Amino acid sequence: MSNYPDNLKYSKEHEWAKLDGKIATIGITHYAQDSLGDVVYVEMPAVGKEFKAMQEFGVVESVKSVSSLYCPVSGKVLERNENLDKKPELVNTSPYDAGWIIKVELSDPSELNNLLSSADYQKLLK
Amino acid sequence: MSEQLKRTPLYQKHLALGAKMVPFAGWEMPVSYPSGIIAEHTAVRNSVGVFDIGHMGLIKVQVARGKGQEEGLDLIQKLTTNDASKLAVNQCQYSVLCNENGGALDDLLVYRFADHYMIIANASNADKVLARLRSFPSATKVSPWEDHAMLSIQGPQAVRLVEKALAVSLSNLKRNHTLEEKNLIFSRTGYTGEDGIELIIDKIEAPKIWDLFIEAKIQPCGLGARDTLRLEAGLPLYGHEYDEETTPLEAGYPWAVKFDKGDFSGRAALLKEKEGGLKKQLVGIELEGRAIPRQGNSILDIRNSILGVVTSGTFSPTFKKPVALAYLLAPCPLSLASVFVEIRGERVPGRVVDKSLYKRVK
């Protein structure tokens, strides 16, 4: 079960969000990184950019393919994980920790209710 | 369209190794193992890797001798671009099956054995190639060889490790030649830009031989690494660098088109193109930055005019940067160095280089 931590919320597009006050940290799930294979580039938005829920905010490229990243909640980008520029493989090796992608200031915290729990996300994967 | 995907005799072996299986040209094949594409690619460049290539289409062409002519040879000569009459027994050559316009129906290896020829077609084109060969009026028997399996062992250590694992001597086996021993066919060929052996074996023997290589700590490699390795080496993949509108001259294989061997399908069109100039030419592109070019991305000049199109792109595990194979359309100065690749609406600067981005130090 540790592949999908209970304290995170999940989107059907395989992103996760971790809430800390009004700030959500966003990344991709274990399933997503495993499906993509070796991640070699993560294209991230500029700090300050605003996104609506489920709007595309970047792409993650693996050796084989390119995949869009969707912002699970509406908000403004506060920070991006600059370590991914040098070490995109962190998305594979540590998807929920060192491999986080952006931090967003939520504009509508109620949207978190639209996201899935760990148990529901795992049901989706079956 | 719910046709069952075909499986090679190594299917269970791939599952046991934890491979990610994907549909490819009607087959269920490993795209990568848990080690990942980059590790598999690097193993082949630095030491050795083994691939299941049992999806390739093997076609036997019988040599019917009559009226002073070998009919199997005649069939191959009339349909493919290279000169198969130059093949000695146990030798093979790269060749292209063209339509009358010179467009590629498939690219092939043509093997000569003592009592037959063998053609290795791409999995995606195997049925098309077979139909084309059979449509040609000839008494020659053309049949798919379906009881085979095929393994490819590639990398600087490949020959040494195959010799050791199978107790054979391959030191006298030259590039593009075969050795038949112990019911196996050893072919010194490959699709990675490295030295290596392709093994054609009986289906029943395949799992046992695969295990010998895995026990010898040879890295299993999937279609993902096969693609990045061939791309770096500038080797064309049908559906990317080749299609029915693309000629072998454009793909960079003028040496595989032998105009002096007599008539063959596509000869007139190819000769016209050779004399009149190529419509497009395959090149390599090295990109700055991190965004990865993909098939269909446009190549632009500084004024945003379209110069060509990307046919394959990836992150090069060897050079650790994005690379592509692309067709530049004529009239395009081939001395041209700086271009832009349009990726997701952004113009990414790149540099035109030889299509063989990677060249093995021999």
Side-chain angles (χ1 to χ4, degrees):
Chain A
M1 292 300 118
S2 61
N3 280 342
Y4 304 99
D6 283 333
N7 60 329
L8 306 180
K9 292 288 214 173
Y10 298 86
S11 78
K12 288 179 182 161
E13 302 291 343
H14 312 292
E15 287 87 15
W16 56 262
K18 185 168 78 182
L19 193 69
D20 181 9
K22 281 195 73 178
I23 296 166
T25 305
I26 290 161
I28 66 168
T29 66
H30 167 74
Y31 172 84
Q33 70 78 18
D34 186 57
S35 304
L36 281 164
D38 293 330
V39 171
V40 291
Y41 176 57
V42 184
E43 194 170 272
M44 294 175 284
V47 169
K49 216 163 167 192
E50 293 186 40
F51 292 94
K52 291 253 188 298
M54 299 323 291
Q55 191 182 347
E56 182 177 329
F57 74 87
V59 299
V60 52
E61 300 228 42
S62 69
V63 177
K64 277 303 278 181
S65 64
V66 54
S67 192
S68 294
L69 293 166
Y70 297 97
C71 201
V73 288
S74 305
K76 185 164 81 176
V77 178
L78 291 180
E79 202 182 330
R80 27 186 258 171
N81 186 354
E82 305 291 349
N83 288 335
L84 297 182
D85 272 344
K86 286 262 157 52
K87 290 186 164 183
E89 66 272 17
L90 289 173
V91 173
N92 295 117
T93 55
S94 179
Y96 300 115
D97 195 9
W100 66 275
I101 296 171
I102 52 170
K103 291 187 183 183
V104 169
E105 185 179 22
L106 300 182
S107 56
D108 181 3
S110 74
E111 284 176 353
L112 285 167
N113 299 328
N114 301 335
L115 299 177
L116 304 171
S117 68
S118 170
D120 287 342
Y121 179 66
Q122 288 178 66
K123 269 185 218 155
L124 181 81
L125 297 181
K126 280 175 187 152
Chain B
M1 294 301 285
S2 61
E3 200 187 326
Q4 193 77 31
L5 291 173
K6 289 181 269 188
R7 292 173 176 174
T8 75
L10 299 173
Y11 177 79
Q12 293 298 337
K13 297 288 175 191
H14 302 318
L15 292 190
L17 288 165
K20 213 176 284 172
M21 306 298 289
V22 295
F24 179 78
W27 292 78
E28 194 172 0
M29 298 298 290
V31 67
S32 63
Y33 297 84
S35 41
I37 293 174
I38 293 175
E40 294 166 26
H41 178 111
T42 307
V44 172
R45 285 278 178 260
N46 295 338
S47 63
V48 62
V50 58
F51 304 76
D52 177 4
I53 55 167
H55 59 304
M56 301 298 286
L58 271 61
I59 298 168
K60 261 186 185 177
V61 178
Q62 296 300 333
V63 179
R65 289 190 182 82
K67 295 179 185 168
Q69 196 178 25
E70 290 186 6
E71 285 207 347
L73 174 62
D74 188 47
L75 172 74
I76 291 167
Q77 288 291 72
K78 295 255 165 68
L79 289 179
T80 68
T81 59
N82 209 334
D83 187 353
S85 73
K86 295 283 191 334
L87 287 173
V89 171
N90 289 322
Q91 193 181 8
C92 69
Q93 66 182 194
Y94 178 80
S95 195
V96 183
L97 185 75
C98 287
N99 59 30
E100 291 302 328
N101 302 323
L105 296 167
D106 199 12
D107 63 335
L108 319 159
L109 281 180
V110 177
Y111 285 80
R112 185 180 171 191
F113 294 104
D115 60 354
H116 66 277
Y117 287 88
M118 186 179 71
I119 288 173
I120 302 190
N122 283 297
S124 54
N125 290 329
D127 292 341
K128 185 169 76 172
V129 172
L130 189 63
R132 175 79 173 164
L133 294 172
R134 282 178 168 167
S135 72
F136 190 80
S138 167
T140 306
K141 192 179 158 213
V142 176
S143 50
W145 188 22
E146 285 174 332
D147 50 0
H148 76 282
M150 230 179 141
L151 302 183
S152 180
I153 306 92
Q154 299 284 309
Q157 299 294 325
V159 171
R160 187 179 69 82
L161 285 167
V162 171
E163 285 181 318
K164 204 170 147 197
L166 299 178
V168 287
S169 171
L170 301 171
S171 51
N172 294 325
L173 181 59
K174 288 185 285 194
R175 192 78 190 161
N176 294 329
H177 281 73
T178 57
L179 174 75
E180 296 169 83
E181 201 169 308
K182 301 183 174 182
N183 248 345
L184 309 170
I185 300 172
F186 298 84
S187 172
R188 197 152 188 174
T189 47
Y191 189 52
T192 59
E194 298 296 336
D195 190 11
I197 300 289
E198 292 179 309
L199 261 181
I200 302 166
I201 53 185
D202 196 85
K203 262 187 179 171
I204 300 178
E205 301 292 313
K208 197 175 71 192
I209 289 174
W210 173 267
D211 282 347
L212 288 176
F213 292 140
I214 299 301
E215 282 159 20
K217 302 270 182 274
I218 297 179
Q219 169 72 50
C221 299
L223 292 178
R226 187 167 162 83
D227 189 43
T228 54
L229 288 158
R230 70 93 198 164
L231 200 163
E232 282 184 354
L235 300 168
L237 173 62
Y238 201 92
H240 289 259
E241 286 69 39
Y242 269 127
D243 57 31
E244 294 188 15
E245 270 79 56
T246 303
T247 71
L249 302 176
E250 294 160 353
Y253 287 93
W255 56 262
V257 181
K258 297 286 166 39
F259 292 107
D260 57 1
K261 70 165 181 170
D263 197 23
F264 58 91
S265 177
R267 182 179 185 276
L270 289 166
L271 191 59
K272 196 174 156 198
E273 184 179 38
K274 185 192 172 195
E275 287 167 353
L278 304 184
K279 288 191 286 293
K280 58 184 182 181
Q281 191 170 350
L282 192 64
V283 296
I285 311 261
E286 291 177 345
L287 282 87
E288 292 167 26
R290 303 297 294 270
I292 295 164
R294 305 288 180 182
Q295 185 171 30
N297 289 160
S298 295
I299 311 285
L300 306 172
D301 68 9
I302 194 135
R303 290 179 206 88
N304 268 351
S305 302
I306 293 181
L307 299 176
V309 63
V310 170
T311 50
S312 297
T314 193
F315 173 82
S316 159
T318 303
F319 303 114
K320 300 192 171 36
K321 62 180 162 190
V323 298
L325 293 175
Y327 275 108
L328 292 186
L329 305 168
C332 187
L334 288 173
S335 56
L336 182 93
S338 293
V339 293
F340 296 91
V341 183
E342 190 173 26
I343 304 174
R344 295 186 290 277
E346 300 279 327
R347 289 156 48 91
V348 180
R351 188 160 85 76
V352 176
V353 295
D354 189 272
K355 72 183 166 81
S356 304
L357 296 150
Y358 172 83
K359 290 188 189 75
R360 171 166 62 106
V361 182
K362 289 178 192 170

